């Protein structure tokens, strides 16, 4: 009998420990609604309902197991919001009129870290705004014919991007043992494999193995194709004649590839700068190539006619959808420019105007010195 009881006890322990995840309790208090439907979901392309119930006197308590700490979607009647849940005892007070505010969540360390990181970025933004004497955004400047101002603002934006990454990297290092660090790294790496790799390596082994860490790892694997030193992929694109073509050999030149669209004002303005760059350095070994992300072939051809580009122009057959070149390069916004060396390998991404000009000059000068 004792052996049987011992066996049942051990079996119970095994069953408890086999449940993946951590136990949690989330108390929800709705201040202005006594009844209604409430549910907790996973996030992603196909959210899965985990728990659901009905409000009683404006309250409901979720209890159970969360597979992983991370982002979950709380839905109350018609309102919903994504929350970082990683505590065992959590609570949130919401208003059906004002919506579900993540700042009102208590008991979640990930959420507290999110707020601290958000404040750090807001402080950075305030400093940059103070230095922007003109008060103009890059988009506003693109509508003016002031190239000097545009160059200045673009340099400022690139400086801001680098500074923001350095802050993000420090925050990931500081909170490397919390799941929010993985989400932060994924958001702040943008299309830069190098940035993402550096932040991923700062995460604790436990966070690297979490769902958020695995998602970051998957993202890195996808954008590795555009890592510095990698050869530019051999895409099948559409030329102006309507034929499906592969890119010409990208070797032998310093090549700037401009990803743009007819409807993008800053893209059209960027082309003015590219024209000057091409005119000044074509004879020294520079080649420029445009790849449109237009969904409409007709609008792309019309824009090509208007621009009268002196270099080859192609269109991504997937348009602006997250397929093909946009997915591989991790393009989140346009104009998106990359620079290739004479071997057709990535040497720089997301450079513009005067910063791009300096990079091209350095590459061309370096080549001449090697020839000597």
């Amino acid at each position: 009998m004792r052996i049987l009881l011992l066996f049942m006890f051990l079996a119970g322990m095994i069953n408890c420990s086999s449940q993946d995840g951590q136990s949690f309790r989330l108390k929800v208090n709705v201040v202005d609604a006594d009844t209604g439907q409430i549910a907790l979901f996973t996030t992603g392309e196909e959210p899965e309902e985990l728990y659901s119930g009905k409000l009683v006197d404006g309250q409901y308590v979720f209890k159970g197991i969360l597979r992983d700490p991370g982002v979950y979607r709380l839905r109350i009647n018609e309102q919903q919001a994504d929350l970082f849940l990683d505590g065992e005892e959590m609570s949130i007070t919401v208003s059906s009129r004002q919506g579900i505010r993540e700042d009102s969540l208590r008991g979640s360390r990930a959420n507290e870290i999110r707020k601290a990181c958000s404040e750090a970025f807001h402080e950075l933004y305030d400093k940059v705004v103070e230095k922007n004497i003109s008060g103009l955004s890059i988009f506003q400047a693109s509508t003016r014919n002031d190239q000097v101002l545009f160059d200045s603002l673009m340099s400022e934006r690139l400086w801001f991007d680098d500074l923001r990454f350095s802050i993000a990297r420090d925050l990931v290092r500081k909170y490397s043992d919390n799941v929010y660090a993985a989400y932060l790294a994924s958001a702040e790496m943008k299309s830069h494999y190098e940035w993402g790799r550096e932040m991923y390596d700062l995460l604790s082994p436990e966070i690297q193995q979490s769902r958020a860490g695995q998602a970051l790892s998957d993202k890195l694997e996808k954008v590795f194709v555009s890592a510095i030193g990698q050869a530019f992929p051999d895409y099948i694109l559409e030329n102006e004649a309507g034929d499906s073509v592969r890119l010409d050999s990208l070797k032998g030149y310093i090549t700037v590839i401009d990803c743009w669209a007819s409807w993008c004002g800053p893209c059209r303005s960027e082309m003015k700068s590219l024209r000057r760059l091409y005119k000044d350095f074509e004879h020294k070994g520079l080649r420029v190539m445009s790849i449109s992300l237009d969904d409409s072939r007709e609008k792309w051809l019309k824009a090509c006619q208007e621009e009268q580009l002196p270099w080859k122009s192609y269109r991504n057959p997937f348009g602006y959808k997250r397929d093909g070149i946009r997915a591989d390069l991790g393009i989140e916004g346009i104009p998106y420019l990359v620079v290739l060396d004479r071997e057709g390998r990535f040497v720089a991404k997301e450079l513009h105007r005067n910063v791009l000009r300096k990079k091209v000059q350095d590459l061309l000068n370096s080549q001449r010195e090697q020839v000597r």
Side-chain angles (χ1 to χ4, degrees), residues 19-24 64-69 85-88:
Q19 287 183 316
D20 294 333
Q22 68 174 42
S23 61
F24 83 105
I65 299 291
L66 290 181
R67 187 176 67 187
D68 239 351
L85 304 181
D86 73 342
E88 292 185 1

Side-chain angles (χ1 to χ4, degrees), residues 8-24:
M8 292 174 64
F9 174 73
L10 291 174
M13 290 183 63
I14 293 172
N15 287 337
C16 289
S17 63
S18 66
Q19 287 183 316
D20 294 333
Q22 68 174 42
S23 61
F24 83 105

Side-chain angles (χ1 to χ4, degrees), residues 316 318-328:
N316 176 30
F318 298 102
Y320 201 69
K321 299 181 182 67
R322 284 197 175 275
D323 291 298
I325 190 171
R326 188 179 172 212
D328 289 346

Side-chain angles (χ1 to χ4, degrees), residues 167-214:
I167 291 176
R169 179 186 56 203
D170 291 344
L171 291 170
V172 169
R173 180 184 291 112
K174 182 177 181 179
Y175 301 115
S176 61
D177 64 340
N178 188 271
V179 69
Y180 183 75
Y183 286 97
L184 179 65
S186 182
E188 294 298 325
M189 69 174 280
K190 298 181 171 58
S191 63
H192 297 280
Y193 171 84
E194 297 73 23
W195 290 3
R197 182 81 251 176
E198 187 173 350
M199 290 188 286
Y200 177 83
D201 289 341
L202 292 173
L203 299 174
S204 69
E206 181 182 2
I207 298 303
Q208 288 181 353
Q209 293 301 315
S210 68
R211 271 192 303 161
Q214 289 292 328

